[in-house]
Amino acid sequence: MFNVIEKFISIDGEGPSAGQLAAFIRFSRCNIRCSWCDTKYSWDGSCTTESMTADEIYGYIKDSGVANVTLTGGEPLIQDGIGDLIELLSRDPFLTIRIETNGAVDIAPYKARFKTDNVQFILDYKLPDSRMEHTMIHENFDLLNSWDVYKFVIASERDLLRAIELVREKDLLNKCLVFFSPVVEMYEPVHIVNKMMEEKLNGVRFQLQLHKYVWDKNKRGV
């Protein structure tokens, strides 16, 4: 059984399918605590969970008629049996499964098991202002394919410079997709765009969380 905090259909607010419809499954529990976390309700005990089997999750997704699936949290890769759920979903050729993981979980077992491009990993590298950079597993940098993503959530100039350093040091633009995403309450997005132009960061993709412009930024289930 999986403890699901919420499930809903919306547009994907960020990443390679931004603006497209997606079915979201948000799991409870997380193994780190980011300073700017916008989904604390998934791990702080303030919300009840719904127990669902893998078949029930798959049934919900199929009934929606939506092809993009986002497994998120919390942290999806610390859920018991998550590999079997991904396996079930990945066998459906209609679906593309994106796993939003926080960079503090070793993805090697999952990359060895799932080699097709309908299973995509979106790793969120935690920069200094998150206060969680010490939890990052750097071996994950070498495991991604061209359809996977490294996302950098940027809350300060220090974060931005560290993100650029990692993109170059790890040669990420030749390994996977790379997104820069601002914490807009803490750092003006224009600073990121200006720096991308200054540093000629061809290949880096700037993004804003689209769903927070369609609905109130604190609204859940969107």
Side-chain angles (χ1 to χ4, degrees):
M1 301 295 289
F2 295 92
N3 291 322
V4 176
I5 285 286
E6 57 185 355
K7 60 185 190 300
F8 56 92
I9 309 301
S10 184
I11 58 164
D12 208 336
E14 53 191 326
S17 57
Q20 298 180 18
L21 290 175
F24 290 81
I25 307 295
R26 186 181 304 282
F27 300 97
S28 66
R29 296 191 298 121
C30 190
N31 56 327
I32 60 175
R33 300 289 184 266
C34 295
S35 63
W36 40 252
C37 180
D38 61 357
T39 55
K40 291 180 181 178
Y41 60 87
S42 66
W43 50 259
D44 67 4
S46 63
C47 296
T48 58
T49 62
E50 177 183 1
S51 294
M52 299 182 71
T53 65
D55 285 337
E56 287 171 338
I57 291 172
Y58 177 58
Y60 170 77
I61 293 166
K62 287 302 290 182
D63 288 346
S64 76
V66 172
N68 292 310
V69 178
T70 298
L71 304 181
T72 188
E75 171 50 53
L77 294 184
I78 64 171
Q79 312 300 318
D80 293 338
I82 192 67
D84 294 333
L85 173 61
I86 298 170
E87 179 76 39
L88 173 63
L89 300 178
S90 69
R91 289 200 296 262
D92 188 327
F94 179 68
L95 300 178
T96 297
I97 302 92
R98 296 183 176 89
I99 300 106
E100 293 190 342
T101 182
N102 60 27
V105 177
D106 179 10
I107 67 169
Y110 302 99
K111 292 301 293 182
R113 184 172 178 180
F114 305 108
K115 300 179 182 295
T116 57
D117 62 3
N118 74 327
V119 177
Q120 301 176 351
F121 289 82
I122 300 176
L123 277 83
D124 190 342
Y125 187 92
K126 306 305 182 185
L127 294 163
D129 278 27
S130 73
R131 299 201 293 269
M132 288 290 119
E133 187 173 16
H134 65 281
T135 69
M136 295 295 94
I137 297 175
H138 280 238
E139 288 77 8
N140 286 337
F141 280 115
D142 298 319
L143 299 175
L144 299 193
N145 301 103
S146 60
W147 53 81
D148 296 317
V149 172
Y150 248 105
K151 179 177 71 171
F152 296 89
V153 177
I154 296 167
S156 67
E157 179 78 6
R158 176 175 67 162
D159 279 358
L160 178 55
L161 294 176
R162 177 61 173 151
I164 294 169
E165 177 184 40
L166 286 163
V167 167
R168 289 173 170 160
E169 176 187 316
K170 305 296 184 180
D171 194 28
L172 288 184
L173 293 173
N174 288 316
K175 294 177 180 177
C176 62
L177 302 174
V178 176
F179 288 81
F180 282 5
S181 183
V183 182
V184 295
E185 297 83 2
M186 301 173 68
Y187 195 59
E188 288 289 340
V190 67
H191 297 320
I192 298 176
V193 176
N194 285 341
K195 195 68 172 179
M196 288 171 62
M197 293 188 291
E198 178 185 329
E199 296 290 333
K200 299 178 176 56
L201 294 177
N202 295 299
V204 171
R205 303 173 187 219
F206 172 81
Q207 67 177 6
L208 297 170
Q209 294 178 301
L210 295 179
H211 56 288
K212 293 184 178 180
Y213 292 85
V214 178
W215 296 278
D216 183 277
K217 66 179 182 179
N218 296 313
K219 184 176 176 59
R220 288 177 48 189
V222 296

Coordinates of all heavy atoms in Angstrom, one line a residue, residues 101-185:
T101 N 12.6 13.4 -8.0 CA 13.3 13.0 -6.8 C 14.3 14.1 -6.4 O 14.8 14.9 -7.2 CB 14.0 11.6 -7.1 OG1 14.8 11.2 -6.0 CG2 15.0 11.8 -8.3
N102 N 14.7 14.0 -5.1 CA 15.4 15.2 -4.5 C 16.9 15.2 -4.6 O 17.5 16.1 -4.0 CB 14.9 15.4 -3.1 CG 15.2 14.2 -2.2 OD1 16.1 13.5 -2.4 ND2 14.4 14.1 -1.2
G103 N 17.5 14.2 -5.2 CA 18.9 14.2 -5.3 C 19.6 13.6 -4.1 O 20.9 13.4 -4.1
A104 N 18.9 13.3 -3.1 CA 19.4 12.7 -1.9 C 19.1 11.2 -1.8 O 19.3 10.6 -0.7 CB 18.9 13.4 -0.6
V105 N 18.7 10.6 -2.9 CA 18.5 9.2 -3.0 C 19.3 8.6 -4.2 O 19.3 9.2 -5.3 CB 17.0 8.8 -3.3 CG1 16.7 7.4 -3.4 CG2 16.1 9.4 -2.1
D106 N 19.9 7.5 -4.0 CA 20.7 6.8 -5.0 C 19.8 6.3 -6.1 O 19.0 5.4 -5.8 CB 21.6 5.7 -4.4 CG 22.4 4.9 -5.4 OD1 22.5 5.4 -6.5 OD2 23.0 3.9 -5.0
I107 N 19.9 6.8 -7.3 CA 19.0 6.3 -8.3 C 19.6 5.2 -9.1 O 18.9 4.7 -10.1 CB 18.6 7.5 -9.3 CG1 19.8 7.9 -10.1 CG2 18.0 8.6 -8.5 CD1 19.5 8.9 -11.2
A108 N 20.8 4.7 -8.8 CA 21.4 3.6 -9.6 C 20.5 2.4 -9.7 O 20.4 1.9 -10.9 CB 22.8 3.3 -9.0
P109 N 19.9 1.9 -8.7 CA 19.1 0.7 -8.8 C 17.9 0.9 -9.8 O 17.5 0.0 -10.5 CB 18.6 0.4 -7.4 CG 19.5 1.1 -6.5 CD 19.9 2.3 -7.3
Y110 N 17.3 2.1 -9.8 CA 16.2 2.4 -10.7 C 16.7 2.6 -12.1 O 16.0 2.2 -13.1 CB 15.5 3.6 -10.2 CG 15.0 3.5 -8.8 CD1 15.7 4.0 -7.7 CD2 13.9 2.7 -8.5 CE1 15.3 3.8 -6.4 CE2 13.4 2.5 -7.2 CZ 14.2 3.1 -6.1 OH 13.8 2.9 -4.8
K111 N 17.8 3.3 -12.3 CA 18.3 3.4 -13.7 C 18.7 2.1 -14.3 O 18.6 1.9 -15.5 CB 19.5 4.4 -13.7 CG 19.1 5.8 -13.4 CD 18.1 6.4 -14.3 CE 18.7 6.6 -15.7 NZ 17.7 7.2 -16.7
A112 N 19.2 1.2 -13.5 CA 19.5 -0.2 -14.0 C 18.3 -0.9 -14.4 O 18.3 -1.7 -15.3 CB 20.3 -0.9 -12.9
R113 N 17.2 -0.7 -13.7 CA 15.9 -1.4 -13.9 C 15.1 -0.8 -15.0 O 14.5 -1.6 -15.8 CB 15.1 -1.4 -12.6 CG 13.8 -2.3 -12.7 CD 13.2 -2.4 -11.3 NE 11.9 -3.1 -11.3 CZ 11.2 -3.4 -10.3 NH1 11.6 -2.9 -9.1 NH2 10.0 -4.0 -10.4
F114 N 15.1 0.5 -15.2 CA 14.3 1.2 -16.1 C 15.2 1.9 -17.2 O 15.7 2.9 -16.8 CB 13.3 2.1 -15.4 CG 12.5 1.5 -14.4 CD1 12.7 1.7 -13.0 CD2 11.5 0.6 -14.7 CE1 12.0 1.1 -12.0 CE2 10.8 0.0 -13.7 CZ 11.0 0.2 -12.4
K115 N 15.2 1.4 -18.4 CA 16.1 1.9 -19.4 C 15.4 2.6 -20.5 O 16.1 3.0 -21.5 CB 17.0 0.7 -19.9 CG 17.9 0.1 -18.8 CD 18.7 -1.0 -19.4 CE 19.5 -1.7 -18.3 NZ 20.5 -0.9 -17.7
T116 N 14.1 2.6 -20.5 CA 13.4 3.2 -21.7 C 13.1 4.6 -21.4 O 13.0 5.1 -20.3 CB 12.1 2.4 -21.9 OG1 11.3 2.4 -20.7 CG2 12.4 0.9 -22.3
D117 N 12.8 5.4 -22.5 CA 12.6 6.8 -22.4 C 11.2 7.2 -21.9 O 10.9 8.4 -21.8 CB 13.0 7.5 -23.7 CG 12.1 7.1 -24.9 OD1 11.2 6.3 -24.7 OD2 12.4 7.6 -26.0
N118 N 10.4 6.2 -21.6 CA 9.1 6.6 -21.1 C 9.1 6.6 -19.5 O 8.1 6.8 -18.9 CB 8.0 5.6 -21.5 CG 8.0 4.2 -20.9 OD1 9.1 3.7 -20.6 ND2 6.9 3.6 -20.7
V119 N 10.3 6.3 -19.0 CA 10.6 6.5 -17.5 C 11.7 7.6 -17.4 O 12.8 7.3 -17.8 CB 11.0 5.2 -16.8 CG1 11.3 5.5 -15.3 CG2 9.9 4.2 -17.0
Q120 N 11.3 8.7 -16.9 CA 12.2 9.9 -16.9 C 12.4 10.3 -15.4 O 11.5 10.4 -14.7 CB 11.7 11.0 -17.7 CG 11.5 10.7 -19.2 CD 10.9 11.8 -20.0 OE1 10.4 12.8 -19.5 NE2 10.8 11.6 -21.3
F121 N 13.7 10.6 -15.1 CA 14.0 11.0 -13.8 C 14.3 12.5 -13.8 O 15.1 13.0 -14.6 CB 15.2 10.2 -13.2 CG 14.9 8.8 -12.9 CD1 14.9 7.8 -13.9 CD2 14.6 8.4 -11.6 CE1 14.6 6.5 -13.6 CE2 14.3 7.1 -11.3 CZ 14.3 6.1 -12.3
I122 N 13.7 13.2 -12.9 CA 13.9 14.7 -12.7 C 14.6 14.8 -11.3 O 13.9 14.7 -10.3 CB 12.6 15.5 -12.8 CG1 12.0 15.3 -14.2 CG2 12.9 16.9 -12.5 CD1 10.6 15.9 -14.4
L123 N 15.9 15.1 -11.3 CA 16.6 15.3 -10.1 C 16.7 16.7 -9.7 O 17.1 17.6 -10.6 CB 18.0 14.7 -10.2 CG 18.1 13.1 -9.9 CD1 17.7 12.4 -11.2 CD2 19.4 12.7 -9.4
D124 N 16.4 17.0 -8.5 CA 16.4 18.4 -8.0 C 17.7 18.6 -7.1 O 17.7 18.1 -6.0 CB 15.1 18.7 -7.2 CG 14.9 20.1 -6.9 OD1 15.9 20.9 -6.9 OD2 13.8 20.5 -6.5
Y125 N 18.7 19.2 -7.7 CA 19.9 19.4 -6.9 C 19.7 20.5 -5.9 O 19.3 21.6 -6.2 CB 21.1 19.7 -7.8 CG 22.4 19.7 -7.0 CD1 23.2 18.6 -6.9 CD2 22.8 20.9 -6.3 CE1 24.4 18.6 -6.1 CE2 24.0 20.9 -5.6 CZ 24.8 19.8 -5.5 OH 25.9 19.8 -4.8
K126 N 20.0 20.2 -4.6 CA 19.7 21.2 -3.5 C 20.9 22.1 -3.4 O 22.0 21.6 -3.0 CB 19.4 20.5 -2.2 CG 18.3 19.5 -2.3 CD 17.0 20.1 -2.9 CE 15.9 19.1 -2.9 NZ 14.6 19.6 -3.6
L127 N 20.7 23.3 -3.7 CA 21.8 24.3 -3.6 C 22.0 24.9 -2.2 O 21.2 24.6 -1.3 CB 21.5 25.4 -4.6 CG 21.5 25.0 -6.1 CD1 20.8 25.9 -7.0 CD2 22.9 24.7 -6.6
P128 N 23.0 25.7 -2.0 CA 23.4 26.1 -0.6 C 22.2 26.7 0.2 O 22.1 26.4 1.4 CB 24.5 27.1 -0.8 CG 25.2 26.7 -2.1 CD 24.1 26.2 -2.9
D129 N 21.4 27.5 -0.4 CA 20.3 28.2 0.4 C 19.2 27.2 0.8 O 18.4 27.6 1.7 CB 19.7 29.4 -0.4 CG 20.6 30.6 -0.2 OD1 21.8 30.5 0.0 OD2 20.0 31.7 -0.3
S130 N 19.2 26.1 0.3 CA 18.2 25.0 0.7 C 18.6 24.5 2.1 O 17.8 23.8 2.8 CB 18.1 23.9 -0.3 OG 19.3 23.1 -0.3
R131 N 19.9 24.6 2.4 CA 20.5 24.0 3.6 C 20.6 22.5 3.5 O 20.8 21.8 4.6 CB 19.8 24.5 4.9 CG 19.9 26.0 5.1 CD 19.7 26.4 6.5 NE 18.3 26.1 7.0 CZ 17.3 27.0 6.9 NH1 17.5 28.2 6.4 NH2 16.1 26.7 7.4
M132 N 20.5 21.9 2.4 CA 20.5 20.5 2.2 C 21.5 20.0 1.2 O 21.5 18.8 0.8 CB 19.1 20.0 1.7 CG 18.0 20.1 2.8 SD 18.3 18.9 4.1 CE 18.5 19.9 5.5
E133 N 22.4 20.9 0.8 CA 23.4 20.4 -0.2 C 24.2 19.3 0.2 O 24.7 18.4 -0.6 CB 24.3 21.6 -0.7 CG 25.1 21.2 -1.9 CD 25.9 22.4 -2.5 OE1 26.1 23.4 -1.8 OE2 26.4 22.2 -3.6
H134 N 24.5 19.2 1.5 CA 25.3 18.1 2.1 C 24.7 16.8 1.9 O 25.4 15.7 2.0 CB 25.6 18.4 3.6 CG 24.4 18.3 4.4 ND1 23.5 19.3 4.5 CD2 23.9 17.3 5.2 CE1 22.5 19.0 5.3 NE2 22.7 17.8 5.8
T135 N 23.4 16.7 1.6 CA 22.8 15.4 1.4 C 22.8 14.9 -0.1 O 22.4 13.8 -0.4 CB 21.3 15.5 1.8 OG1 20.6 16.3 0.9 CG2 21.1 16.0 3.2
M136 N 23.3 15.7 -1.0 CA 23.3 15.4 -2.4 C 24.2 14.2 -2.7 O 25.4 14.2 -2.2 CB 23.6 16.6 -3.3 CG 22.6 17.7 -3.2 SD 21.0 17.3 -3.8 CE 20.1 16.8 -2.3
I137 N 23.8 13.3 -3.6 CA 24.6 12.2 -4.0 C 25.1 12.5 -5.4 O 24.4 12.4 -6.4 CB 23.7 10.9 -4.0 CG1 23.2 10.6 -2.6 CG2 24.5 9.7 -4.6 CD1 22.3 9.4 -2.5
H138 N 26.4 12.8 -5.4 CA 27.0 13.2 -6.6 C 27.2 12.1 -7.7 O 27.3 12.4 -8.9 CB 28.4 13.9 -6.3 CG 28.3 15.3 -5.8 ND1 28.9 16.4 -6.5 CD2 27.6 15.8 -4.8 CE1 28.6 17.5 -5.8 NE2 27.8 17.2 -4.8
E139 N 27.2 10.9 -7.2 CA 27.2 9.8 -8.2 C 26.0 9.8 -9.2 O 26.1 9.3 -10.3 CB 27.3 8.4 -7.5 CG 28.6 8.1 -6.8 CD 28.8 8.9 -5.5 OE1 27.8 9.5 -5.0 OE2 29.9 8.8 -4.9
N140 N 24.9 10.4 -8.7 CA 23.7 10.5 -9.6 C 24.0 11.3 -10.9 O 23.4 11.1 -11.9 CB 22.6 11.1 -8.8 CG 21.9 10.2 -7.8 OD1 22.0 9.0 -7.9 ND2 21.3 10.8 -6.8
F141 N 25.0 12.2 -10.8 CA 25.3 13.0 -12.0 C 25.7 12.2 -13.2 O 25.5 12.5 -14.3 CB 26.4 14.0 -11.7 CG 26.1 15.2 -10.9 CD1 26.5 15.4 -9.7 CD2 25.2 16.2 -11.5 CE1 26.2 16.6 -9.0 CE2 24.9 17.3 -10.8 CZ 25.3 17.5 -9.5
D142 N 26.3 11.0 -13.0 CA 26.8 10.2 -14.0 C 25.8 9.1 -14.5 O 26.1 8.3 -15.4 CB 28.0 9.4 -13.6 CG 29.1 10.4 -13.2 OD1 29.3 11.4 -13.9 OD2 29.8 10.2 -12.2
L143 N 24.5 9.2 -14.0 CA 23.6 8.1 -14.3 C 22.4 8.5 -15.2 O 21.7 7.7 -15.6 CB 23.0 7.6 -13.0 CG 24.0 7.0 -12.0 CD1 23.3 6.6 -10.7 CD2 24.6 5.7 -12.6
L144 N 22.4 9.8 -15.6 CA 21.2 10.3 -16.3 C 21.4 10.1 -17.8 O 22.5 10.1 -18.4 CB 20.9 11.7 -16.0 CG 20.6 12.0 -14.6 CD1 20.0 13.4 -14.4 CD2 19.6 11.0 -14.0
N145 N 20.3 9.9 -18.5 CA 20.2 9.8 -20.0 C 19.8 11.2 -20.5 O 19.4 12.1 -19.8 CB 19.3 8.7 -20.4 CG 19.7 7.4 -19.9 OD1 19.1 6.9 -18.9 ND2 20.7 6.8 -20.5
S146 N 19.7 11.3 -21.9 CA 19.4 12.5 -22.5 C 18.0 13.0 -22.2 O 17.6 14.1 -22.4 CB 19.6 12.4 -24.0 OG 18.8 11.4 -24.6
W147 N 17.1 12.0 -21.9 CA 15.7 12.4 -21.6 C 15.4 12.7 -20.1 O 14.3 13.1 -19.7 CB 14.8 11.3 -22.0 CG 15.1 9.9 -21.5 CD1 14.8 9.4 -20.2 CD2 15.8 8.9 -22.1 NE1 15.2 8.2 -20.1 CE2 15.9 7.8 -21.2 CE3 16.4 8.7 -23.4 CZ2 16.5 6.6 -21.5 CZ3 17.0 7.5 -23.7 CH2 17.1 6.5 -22.8
D148 N 16.4 12.6 -19.3 CA 16.3 12.9 -17.9 C 16.6 14.4 -17.6 O 17.1 15.1 -18.5 CB 17.3 12.0 -17.0 CG 16.9 10.5 -17.1 OD1 15.7 10.2 -17.0 OD2 17.8 9.7 -17.2
V149 N 16.4 14.8 -16.4 CA 16.6 16.2 -16.1 C 17.3 16.4 -14.8 O 17.2 15.7 -13.8 CB 15.1 16.9 -15.9 CG1 15.3 18.3 -15.3 CG2 14.4 16.8 -17.2
Y150 N 18.2 17.5 -14.8 CA 18.7 18.0 -13.5 C 18.1 19.4 -13.4 O 18.2 20.3 -14.3 CB 20.2 18.1 -13.5 CG 20.8 17.2 -12.5 CD1 21.4 16.0 -12.9 CD2 20.7 17.4 -11.1 CE1 22.0 15.1 -11.9 CE2 21.2 16.5 -10.2 CZ 21.8 15.4 -10.6 OH 22.3 14.5 -9.6
K151 N 17.4 19.6 -12.2 CA 16.8 20.9 -12.0 C 17.5 21.6 -10.8 O 17.8 21.0 -9.8 CB 15.3 20.7 -11.6 CG 14.6 22.0 -11.3 CD 13.1 21.7 -11.0 CE 12.9 21.0 -9.7 NZ 11.4 20.9 -9.3
F152 N 17.7 22.9 -10.9 CA 18.4 23.7 -9.9 C 17.4 24.8 -9.4 O 17.0 25.6 -10.2 CB 19.7 24.3 -10.4 CG 20.7 23.3 -10.8 CD1 20.8 22.8 -12.1 CD2 21.6 22.9 -9.8 CE1 21.7 21.8 -12.4 CE2 22.6 21.9 -10.2 CZ 22.7 21.4 -11.5
V153 N 17.0 24.7 -8.2 CA 16.1 25.7 -7.6 C 16.9 26.7 -7.0 O 17.7 26.4 -6.0 CB 15.1 25.0 -6.6 CG1 14.2 26.1 -6.0 CG2 14.2 24.0 -7.3
I154 N 16.8 28.0 -7.4 CA 17.7 29.0 -7.1 C 17.1 30.1 -6.3 O 16.1 30.7 -6.7 CB 18.3 29.6 -8.4 CG1 19.1 28.5 -9.2 CG2 19.1 30.9 -8.2 CD1 19.4 28.9 -10.6
A155 N 17.7 30.3 -5.1 CA 17.1 31.3 -4.1 C 18.0 32.5 -3.9 O 17.6 33.3 -3.1 CB 16.8 30.6 -2.8
S156 N 19.2 32.5 -4.5 CA 20.1 33.6 -4.2 C 21.2 33.6 -5.3 O 21.3 32.7 -6.1 CB 20.8 33.4 -2.9 OG 21.6 32.2 -2.9
E157 N 22.0 34.7 -5.3 CA 23.1 34.8 -6.2 C 24.1 33.6 -5.9 O 24.7 33.0 -6.8 CB 23.8 36.1 -6.0 CG 25.1 36.3 -6.8 CD 24.7 36.7 -8.3 OE1 23.6 36.9 -8.6 OE2 25.7 36.8 -9.1
R158 N 24.3 33.3 -4.6 CA 25.2 32.2 -4.3 C 24.7 30.9 -4.9 O 25.5 30.1 -5.5 CB 25.2 32.0 -2.7 CG 26.0 30.8 -2.3 CD 26.2 30.8 -0.8 NE 24.9 30.6 -0.1 CZ 24.8 30.1 1.2 NH1 25.9 29.9 1.9 NH2 23.6 30.0 1.7
D159 N 23.4 30.6 -4.8 CA 22.8 29.4 -5.5 C 23.1 29.4 -7.0 O 23.4 28.4 -7.6 CB 21.3 29.4 -5.2 CG 20.9 28.9 -3.9 OD1 21.8 28.5 -3.1 OD2 19.7 28.8 -3.6
L160 N 22.9 30.6 -7.6 CA 23.0 30.7 -9.0 C 24.4 30.4 -9.5 O 24.7 29.6 -10.4 CB 22.6 32.1 -9.5 CG 22.7 32.4 -11.0 CD1 22.0 31.4 -11.9 CD2 22.3 33.8 -11.3
L161 N 25.4 30.9 -8.8 CA 26.8 30.7 -9.1 C 27.2 29.2 -8.9 O 27.9 28.6 -9.7 CB 27.7 31.6 -8.3 CG 27.6 33.1 -8.6 CD1 28.5 33.9 -7.7 CD2 27.9 33.4 -10.1
R162 N 26.6 28.6 -7.9 CA 26.9 27.2 -7.6 C 26.3 26.3 -8.7 O 26.9 25.3 -9.1 CB 26.4 26.8 -6.2 CG 26.5 25.3 -5.9 CD 27.9 24.9 -5.8 NE 28.1 23.5 -5.3 CZ 29.0 22.7 -5.6 NH1 30.0 23.1 -6.5 NH2 29.1 21.5 -5.1
A163 N 25.1 26.7 -9.1 CA 24.4 25.9 -10.2 C 25.3 25.9 -11.5 O 25.5 24.9 -12.1 CB 23.0 26.4 -10.4
I164 N 25.7 27.1 -11.8 CA 26.5 27.3 -13.0 C 27.8 26.4 -12.9 O 28.2 25.7 -13.8 CB 26.9 28.7 -13.3 CG1 25.6 29.5 -13.7 CG2 27.9 28.9 -14.4 CD1 25.7 31.0 -13.7
E165 N 28.4 26.5 -11.7 CA 29.7 25.7 -11.5 C 29.4 24.2 -11.7 O 30.2 23.5 -12.3 CB 30.1 26.0 -10.1 CG 31.3 25.1 -9.6 CD 31.7 25.4 -8.2 OE1 30.8 25.4 -7.3 OE2 32.9 25.4 -7.9
L166 N 28.3 23.7 -11.2 CA 28.0 22.3 -11.3 C 27.7 21.9 -12.7 O 28.1 20.8 -13.2 CB 26.8 21.9 -10.4 CG 27.2 21.9 -8.9 CD1 25.9 21.9 -8.1 CD2 28.0 20.6 -8.6
V167 N 26.9 22.7 -13.4 CA 26.6 22.4 -14.8 C 27.9 22.2 -15.6 O 28.0 21.3 -16.5 CB 25.7 23.6 -15.4 CG1 25.6 23.4 -16.9 CG2 24.3 23.5 -14.8
R168 N 28.8 23.1 -15.4 CA 30.1 23.0 -16.2 C 31.0 21.9 -15.6 O 31.5 21.1 -16.4 CB 30.8 24.4 -16.1 CG 30.1 25.4 -16.9 CD 30.7 26.8 -16.8 NE 30.1 27.7 -17.7 CZ 30.1 29.0 -17.6 NH1 30.7 29.6 -16.6 NH2 29.6 29.8 -18.6
E169 N 31.1 21.8 -14.3 CA 32.0 20.8 -13.8 C 31.5 19.4 -14.1 O 32.4 18.5 -14.4 CB 32.0 21.0 -12.2 CG 32.8 19.9 -11.5 CD 32.6 20.1 -10.0 OE1 32.7 21.2 -9.5 OE2 32.4 19.0 -9.3
K170 N 30.2 19.2 -14.1 CA 29.7 17.8 -14.4 C 29.3 17.6 -15.8 O 28.8 16.5 -16.2 CB 28.5 17.6 -13.5 CG 28.7 17.8 -12.0 CD 29.7 16.8 -11.5 CE 29.8 16.9 -9.9 NZ 30.8 16.0 -9.4
D171 N 29.6 18.6 -16.7 CA 29.3 18.5 -18.1 C 27.8 18.1 -18.4 O 27.5 17.3 -19.2 CB 30.2 17.5 -18.8 CG 30.2 17.6 -20.3 OD1 29.9 18.7 -20.8 OD2 30.5 16.6 -21.0
L172 N 26.9 18.7 -17.6 CA 25.5 18.3 -17.6 C 24.8 18.5 -18.9 O 24.0 17.7 -19.3 CB 24.8 19.0 -16.5 CG 25.1 18.5 -15.1 CD1 24.2 19.3 -14.1 CD2 24.9 17.0 -14.9
L173 N 25.2 19.5 -19.7 CA 24.5 19.8 -20.9 C 24.7 18.7 -22.0 O 24.0 18.7 -22.9 CB 24.8 21.2 -21.4 CG 24.3 22.3 -20.5 CD1 24.9 23.7 -21.0 CD2 22.8 22.4 -20.5
N174 N 25.8 17.9 -21.8 CA 26.0 16.8 -22.7 C 25.5 15.5 -22.1 O 25.7 14.4 -22.7 CB 27.5 16.7 -23.0 CG 28.0 17.8 -23.9 OD1 27.4 18.2 -24.8 ND2 29.1 18.4 -23.5
K175 N 24.8 15.6 -21.0 CA 24.3 14.3 -20.4 C 22.7 14.3 -20.3 O 22.1 13.3 -20.5 CB 24.8 14.2 -19.0 CG 26.3 14.0 -18.9 CD 26.8 13.9 -17.4 CE 28.3 13.7 -17.3 NZ 28.7 13.7 -15.9
C176 N 22.1 15.5 -20.0 CA 20.7 15.5 -19.7 C 20.2 16.9 -20.0 O 20.9 17.8 -20.4 CB 20.5 15.1 -18.3 SG 21.2 16.2 -17.1
L177 N 18.9 17.1 -19.7 CA 18.3 18.4 -19.8 C 18.6 19.1 -18.5 O 18.6 18.5 -17.4 CB 16.7 18.2 -20.0 CG 16.3 17.5 -21.2 CD1 14.7 17.3 -21.2 CD2 16.7 18.2 -22.5
V178 N 18.7 20.4 -18.6 CA 19.1 21.2 -17.4 C 18.1 22.4 -17.3 O 17.9 23.1 -18.3 CB 20.5 21.7 -17.5 CG1 20.8 22.7 -16.3 CG2 21.5 20.6 -17.5
F179 N 17.5 22.5 -16.1 CA 16.5 23.6 -15.9 C 17.0 24.5 -14.7 O 17.4 23.9 -13.6 CB 15.1 23.1 -15.6 CG 14.4 22.5 -16.8 CD1 14.7 21.2 -17.2 CD2 13.5 23.2 -17.5 CE1 14.0 20.7 -18.3 CE2 12.8 22.7 -18.6 CZ 13.1 21.4 -19.0
F180 N 16.9 25.8 -14.8 CA 17.1 26.7 -13.7 C 15.7 27.3 -13.3 O 14.9 27.8 -14.1 CB 18.0 27.9 -14.1 CG 19.4 27.6 -14.1 CD1 19.9 26.3 -13.9 CD2 20.3 28.6 -14.4 CE1 21.3 26.0 -14.0 CE2 21.7 28.3 -14.4 CZ 22.2 27.0 -14.2
S181 N 15.4 27.2 -12.0 CA 14.0 27.6 -11.5 C 14.2 28.5 -10.3 O 14.8 28.0 -9.3 CB 13.2 26.3 -11.2 OG 11.9 26.7 -10.8
P182 N 13.7 29.7 -10.3 CA 13.8 30.6 -9.2 C 12.8 30.3 -8.1 O 11.7 29.9 -8.4 CB 13.6 32.0 -9.8 CG 12.6 31.7 -10.9 CD 13.0 30.4 -11.5
V183 N 13.2 30.5 -6.8 CA 12.3 30.7 -5.7 C 11.9 32.2 -5.8 O 12.6 33.1 -5.3 CB 12.9 30.4 -4.4 CG1 11.9 30.5 -3.3 CG2 13.5 29.0 -4.4
V184 N 10.8 32.5 -6.4 CA 10.5 33.8 -6.8 C 10.2 34.8 -5.6 O 10.4 36.0 -5.7 CB 9.2 33.9 -7.8 CG1 9.6 33.2 -9.1 CG2 8.0 33.3 -7.1
E185 N 9.9 34.2 -4.5 CA 9.7 35.0 -3.3 C 11.0 35.4 -2.7 O 11.1 36.4 -1.8 CB 8.9 34.2 -2.2 CG 7.5 33.8 -2.6 CD 7.4 32.5 -3.4 OE1 8.5 31.9 -3.7 OE2 6.3 32.1 -3.8

